[in-house]
Amino acid sequence: MKQPILEITNLRAGVEGKEILKGLNLRISEGEVHAVMGPNGSGKSTLASILAGRDGYTITDGQIVYGGVDLVEMSPEVRAREGVFLAFQYPVEIPGVNTTYFLKAALNEVRKHNGLSELDAMEFLTLVKEKMKILHLPEDFLKRPVNAGFSGGEKKRNEIFQMAVLDPKLAILDETDSGLDIDALKVVSAGVNKLKRADNAQLVITHYQRLLDYIVPDFVHVLSNGRIVRSGGKELALELEERGYDWIVKEDLQTA
Amino acid sequence: MTTATETIEGFVKNEYKYGFITDLESESTPPGLNEDIIRFISEKKGEPEFLLEWRLKAYRYWLKMVEPQWPQVKYPKIDFQKIVYYSAPKKKTDGPKSLDEVDPKLLETYEKLGIPLRERGRLAGVAVDAVFDSVSVATTFKGTLAAKGVIFCSFSEAVREHPELIRKYLGSVVPYTDNFYAALNSAVFSDGSFCFIPKGVRCPMELSTYFRINAANTGQFERTLIVAEDNSHVSYLEGCTAPMRDENQLHAAVVELVALEGAEIKYSTVQNWYPGDEQGRGGIYNFVTKRGLCKGRKSKISWTQVETGSAITWKYPSVVLQGDDSTGEFYSVAVTNNFQQADTGTKMVHIGKNTRSTIISKGISAKNGQNSYRGQVKIQKSAVGARNFSQCDSLLIGNRCGAHTFPYIEVKNATASVEHEATTSKIGEDQIFYCNSRGIETQDAVNMIVNGFCKEVFKELPMEFAVEAQKLLGVSLEGSVG
């Protein structure tokens, strides 16, 4: 029996008094890959931000249960330590802080939280070098400051690299495909696929079907005007690619 | 939802942990300054005639000077007649001959500050001279140093034991005519540290002076003089703290360094004078003149400073590069939190051929802090092939603080090369959230970013002090975000 990881029920939320999510329902269980697709402004990034705990959003109704407990009550860092990971659409640069140092601090916070011993420098490097292979990263990557001066592709690869090191239970990929050329897209997708296991889950947020040629979802959801208006298998993504979002949005308006 | 801002606001307010007062009987002059006070100080110290004359000349010169108005700092006018110019812990004899004669309360004070004056403990391997209010109370490891010919003692002792050296070098780098506060210091300085490294000697341990202001309404005017003879080497550290008091206190020190041929002096400061409270009440006015003279060929002087304390900091550790092929360096981290103001930087004066200088300045401002970098690079006509590289970075935390940069560059020799780079960045909520979303708490994230920002300077500090500096920075910036 597959355990549910994330259960979102009738979520209503917004920013600065403007409601963006208007009764969203989503249920993700172990071993599943879900894709949430939708036109610009449908609320995709808001969903990602709220799950990660970004400041400035207000939840007015509904529930988000993660691993059986209320996610909303947790601070962003506790969510991370509990296994929620957000791969950012626009990863920020942190000049002066080298990637090794940053990632070691992050991993040890997660380990401490879960009652594991902290890794020392040698143990950490061994682990990290293994994970770097997954993303085909050059050696000097670790010595560079976090995202500083990285190209768009490098930043995205760094996100998935961090995901590989932190080994989350629920990974949320917010438009990870945006700004990637086809080669980078393949590397990143292959990385994500390698990290898939029977006891974790991935929520892939994307505008384009293209990413789903490489990361094959078990479920595809269409987000429109703050709600999931249609769910289906991976064939739904193909249909969207062919026909665009308009027809679903219209159908939704007619039934509403 | 717990917002990042709430989390940040919730942090414990920064407590200045050195703000205690030691209850000691002290001997002080009445407030105010005149020639009698100067004569009193000089007599108290049993000084030779030449020194008293020098003090009086400085005082008379000072009377004609006006306080500098150009720094980017604001403070009410100082009434120089309200300051006590001499205060010393009362003691039975003329000066402690050994640590056993030092008042146990004083020893306790330094223990509390983490500076054990007993020659064992954590700082073993560092010789310490402790200056309490106006006088030096103890110097450790004198015997070990003397075996190598190194002189390390209080300034007063140096005046008594080595008057010829004092006469030769005092005021040779910072003359009393130099500026308002240097003139005042020259007139009234009461103690400080003296250090002499003979030819070819590599000082076997770090030398350190620890300054403490205790008495109320007292100014501290100390004088440090370091002379490094040919091909010698010394690393010197300076630390400072003061009690928390509501009124402002003046600290106007002068530091002179002389490096002869092939000599190297490394001078590191961790300045943590009381910065005032969150409303900007109290704190030390730190108006200091520090200058080094690279007198000989291939000499090198390096200043490293971590400035986290003081209500106002006004100081420009400088290097005069007189000897050919000499090197000057300045590495600085200056933090201004709450209502602190700092106008700090350096001067590099290139006179000799192929002289080189490096300036790395990192300014961090939080809350209402105002941080100015002021630096001058001067290439004289004679300085063929001189090179300078300057980098000034500012980091802002929050929306109410300020960072300012005033670089002055003057080049009179066409073969010189001068580079200046400057950046300003801000710790953004996005950066904090990014760290949070990887499991790192806000305060740890701020520390990580700040330490990353200061890395180039910290790596110049002796190991143990680099760790202290990092911790100090963490404490100074606690609760600064939000």
Side-chain angles (χ1 to χ4, degrees):
Chain A
M1 181 64 192
K2 281 199 284 188
Q3 292 293 319
I5 288 181
L6 183 73
E7 296 164 281
I8 304 177
T9 321
N10 188 36
L11 180 66
R12 286 178 176 272
V15 63
E16 287 168 3
K18 186 176 173 254
E19 188 167 68
I20 296 170
L21 299 181
K22 301 169 180 173
L24 184 139
N25 292 291
L26 184 64
R27 187 189 160 94
I28 299 177
S29 295
E30 285 180 336
E32 295 175 354
V33 176
H34 289 244
V36 168
M37 302 182 69
N40 290 330
S42 57
K44 298 192 300 287
S45 280
T46 298
L47 175 63
S49 292
I50 285 176
L51 290 175
R54 191 190 278 274
D55 201 4
Y57 293 89
T58 318
I59 295 174
T60 47
D61 198 9
Q63 266 193 321
I64 307 175
V65 176
Y66 170 74
V69 290
D70 187 356
L71 183 73
V72 180
E73 287 300 310
M74 294 181 213
S75 66
E77 57 271 27
V78 171
R79 295 178 198 204
R81 294 168 197 168
E82 287 281 341
V84 177
F85 180 91
L86 172 64
F88 283 69
Q89 183 179 5
Y90 304 108
V92 295
E93 303 193 357
I94 312 179
V97 177
N98 89 36
T99 302
T100 314
Y101 185 79
F102 175 77
L103 208 45
K104 181 163 168 271
L107 179 63
N108 280 334
E109 288 296 345
V110 173
R111 289 181 63 93
K112 254 195 306 193
H113 183 80
N114 293 295
L116 299 166
S117 65
E118 293 183 40
L119 295 186
D120 65 26
M122 284 312 294
E123 294 167 326
F124 177 74
L125 273 180
T126 313
L127 170 85
V128 151
K129 293 222 163 121
E130 200 52 46
K131 304 287 184 186
M132 280 174 80
K133 289 184 198 149
I134 301 177
L135 277 301
H136 303 284
L137 291 169
E139 281 274 317
D140 74 328
F141 194 83
L142 289 172
K143 292 184 192 131
R144 292 161 65 182
V146 180
N147 293 325
F150 285 25
S151 68
E154 283 176 323
K155 284 182 184 173
K156 294 296 172 75
R157 269 198 281 173
N158 191 17
E159 292 297 288
I160 306 308
F161 168 57
Q162 292 179 40
M163 172 178 160
V165 172
L166 298 177
D167 190 20
K169 185 102 181 146
L170 173 68
I172 304 151
L173 279 61
D174 189 10
E175 310 236 3
T176 296
D177 52 331
S178 72
L180 287 187
D181 63 32
I182 194 72
D183 292 330
L185 184 64
K186 279 182 186 165
V187 172
V188 165
S189 309
V192 173
N193 289 334
K194 272 192 196 153
L195 299 173
K196 182 184 166 182
R197 283 201 314 259
D199 64 345
N200 65 15
Q202 293 166 355
L203 172 58
V204 181
I205 294 172
T206 180
H207 184 86
Y208 299 105
Q209 193 273 336
R210 188 179 72 146
L211 177 65
L212 305 181
D213 287 339
Y214 302 98
I215 300 175
V216 182
D218 301 303
F219 302 93
V220 173
H221 310 276
V222 179
L223 183 63
S224 170
N225 195 26
R227 291 186 309 120
I228 304 264
V229 292
R230 172 97 38 128
S231 295
K234 59 177 184 280
E235 65 291 343
L236 178 57
L238 292 170
E239 197 175 351
L240 286 169
E241 183 74 0
E242 227 163 81
R243 300 175 62 187
Y245 288 109
D246 285 356
W247 61 279
I248 287 189
V249 175
K250 271 183 206 138
E251 273 181 24
D252 176 47
L253 287 176
Q254 278 159 14
T255 52
Chain B
M1 199 182 295
T2 322
T3 65
T5 328
E6 276 169 27
T7 325
I8 300 158
E9 292 281 350
F11 280 114
V12 234
K13 294 285 176 247
N14 169 17
E15 289 275 337
Y16 185 73
K17 69 187 229 234
Y18 308 105
F20 59 89
I21 297 164
T22 308
D23 189 14
L24 269 181
E25 229 187 308
S26 64
E27 181 177 32
S28 307
T29 55
L33 186 56
N34 53 49
E35 294 202 0
D36 288 342
I37 296 277
I38 293 167
R39 284 175 205 281
F40 172 84
I41 295 172
S42 188
E43 197 193 311
K44 200 79 204 157
K45 311 229 141 239
E47 286 176 354
E49 192 57 29
F50 82 86
L51 199 50
L52 174 63
E53 280 310 310
W54 194 73
R55 285 177 182 275
L56 290 172
K57 270 194 263 175
Y59 174 66
R60 289 168 199 150
Y61 193 84
W62 176 73
L63 286 175
K64 289 181 280 180
M65 296 177 94
V66 285
E67 264 182 272
Q69 299 296 324
W70 47 264
Q72 177 91 352
V73 294
K74 287 192 196 103
Y75 57 93
K77 212 166 160 43
I78 300 172
D79 185 345
F80 289 92
Q81 293 303 334
K82 279 201 174 144
I83 294 172
V84 173
Y85 288 88
Y86 182 83
S87 173
K90 220 174 209 170
K91 54 203 171 190
K92 294 148 217 128
T93 52
D94 265 333
K97 298 284 177 289
S98 76
L99 278 170
D100 300 332
E101 287 178 34
V102 175
D103 190 321
K105 268 192 195 161
L106 268 175
L107 291 179
E108 210 177 282
T109 301
Y110 283 92
E111 289 285 347
K112 249 186 183 167
L113 296 168
I115 316 290
L117 295 180
R118 302 267 171 208
E119 294 185 3
R120 46 183 147 81
R122 200 170 57 86
L123 282 177
V126 178
V128 179
D129 181 32
V131 176
F132 194 83
D133 286 336
S134 302
V135 296
S136 169
V137 292
T139 309
T140 63
F141 290 105
K142 279 170 109 161
T144 320
L145 293 167
K148 287 261 183 186
V150 173
I151 304 169
F152 180 45
C153 61
S154 72
F155 205 91
S156 311
E157 190 181 330
V159 169
R160 284 195 304 271
E161 309 289 327
H162 312 281
E164 70 297 343
L165 288 173
I166 298 296
R167 194 165 193 164
K168 184 169 177 190
Y169 290 109
L170 178 69
S172 68
V173 186
V174 181
Y176 62 78
T177 51
D178 193 80
N179 69 69
F180 185 82
Y181 293 105
L184 178 63
N185 173 288
S186 303
V188 303
F189 77 89
S190 35
D191 215 335
S193 297
F194 174 75
C195 166
F196 178 85
I197 321 292
K199 247 180 208 174
V201 170
R202 205 180 163 88
C203 188
M205 58 178 75
E206 307 267 354
L207 303 184
S208 166
T209 300
Y210 198 86
F211 296 104
R212 171 80 179 166
I213 295 179
N214 188 61
N217 300 315
T218 305
Q220 178 152 321
F221 306 91
E222 83 274 352
R223 199 135 188 140
T224 302
L225 174 59
I226 300 176
V227 178
E229 284 200 325
D230 294 358
N231 301 311
S232 65
H233 177 283
V234 64
S235 169
Y236 187 90
L237 309 152
E238 169 194 79
C240 6
T241 57
M244 290 154 77
R245 297 190 187 273
D246 284 345
E247 75 274 14
N248 296 104
Q249 280 179 283
L250 179 63
H251 171 253
V254 172
V255 177
E256 296 180 278
L257 313 181
V258 182
L260 304 182
E261 190 170 323
E264 185 176 342
I265 302 176
K266 190 171 166 56
Y267 195 106
S268 314
T269 304
V270 176
Q271 185 264 106
N272 188 24
W273 295 118
Y274 177 53
D277 66 11
E278 275 170 67
Q279 272 79 46
R281 275 187 307 249
I284 302 291
Y285 291 162
N286 190 37
F287 300 158
V288 171
T289 307
K290 289 185 168 173
R291 193 173 307 148
L293 173 62
C294 279
K295 199 166 180 177
R297 260 191 77 235
K298 288 197 169 166
S299 54
K300 179 176 175 184
I301 289 178
S302 177
W303 297 101
T304 306
Q305 59 170 17
V306 177
E307 304 278 319
T308 61
S310 298
I312 301 176
T313 297
W314 179 97
K315 81 182 238 202
Y316 315 89
S318 307
V319 184
V320 178
L321 298 152
Q322 193 181 72
D324 292 347
D325 303 301
S326 60
T327 307
E329 293 175 341
F330 174 74
Y331 300 96
S332 167
V333 168
V335 180
T336 52
N337 196 1
N338 295 319
F339 286 87
Q340 282 177 276
Q341 308 172 65
D343 190 307
T344 184
T346 184
K347 258 197 295 196
M348 292 290 174
V349 182
H350 292 255
I351 301 169
K353 294 189 190 81
N354 301 315
T355 45
R356 278 165 297 158
S357 64
T358 306
I359 299 171
I360 309 282
S361 161
K362 306 276 179 176
I364 303 163
S365 321
K367 295 275 179 68
N368 294 291
Q370 292 295 325
N371 212 320
S372 303
Y373 166 80
R374 187 183 303 275
Q376 185 178 41
V377 176
K378 209 170 176 174
I379 313 275
Q380 306 282 53
K381 219 168 171 170
S382 52
V384 178
R387 287 203 307 263
N388 161 266
F389 173 76
S390 305
Q391 187 184 327
C392 308
D393 299 325
S394 306
L395 185 68
L396 303 173
I397 305 175
N399 296 321
R400 285 167 296 163
C401 54
H404 318 270
T405 306
F406 305 96
Y408 304 87
I409 298 171
E410 200 182 303
V411 180
K412 290 185 181 154
N413 187 305
T415 62
S417 107
V418 176
E419 284 176 73
H420 181 94
E421 288 178 11
T423 66
T424 303
S425 54
K426 198 179 155 185
I427 296 190
E429 280 172 24
D430 279 2
Q431 286 174 322
I432 303 277
F433 177 64
Y434 191 78
C435 295
N436 290 160
S437 79
R438 298 299 181 251
I440 299 164
E441 274 170 35
T442 300
Q443 188 68 55
D444 292 340
V446 171
N447 286 347
M448 193 184 271
I449 295 169
V450 168
N451 279 320
F453 179 73
C454 301
K455 205 160 44 185
E456 286 161 282
V457 174
F458 285 166
K459 75 175 200 304
E460 296 298 325
L461 286 170
M463 187 58 186
E464 190 165 2
F465 286 77
V467 176
E468 296 268 312
Q470 274 194 27
K471 274 194 227 149
L472 187 58
L473 215 59
V475 174
S476 299
L477 287 170
E478 241 166 52
S480 61
V481 188

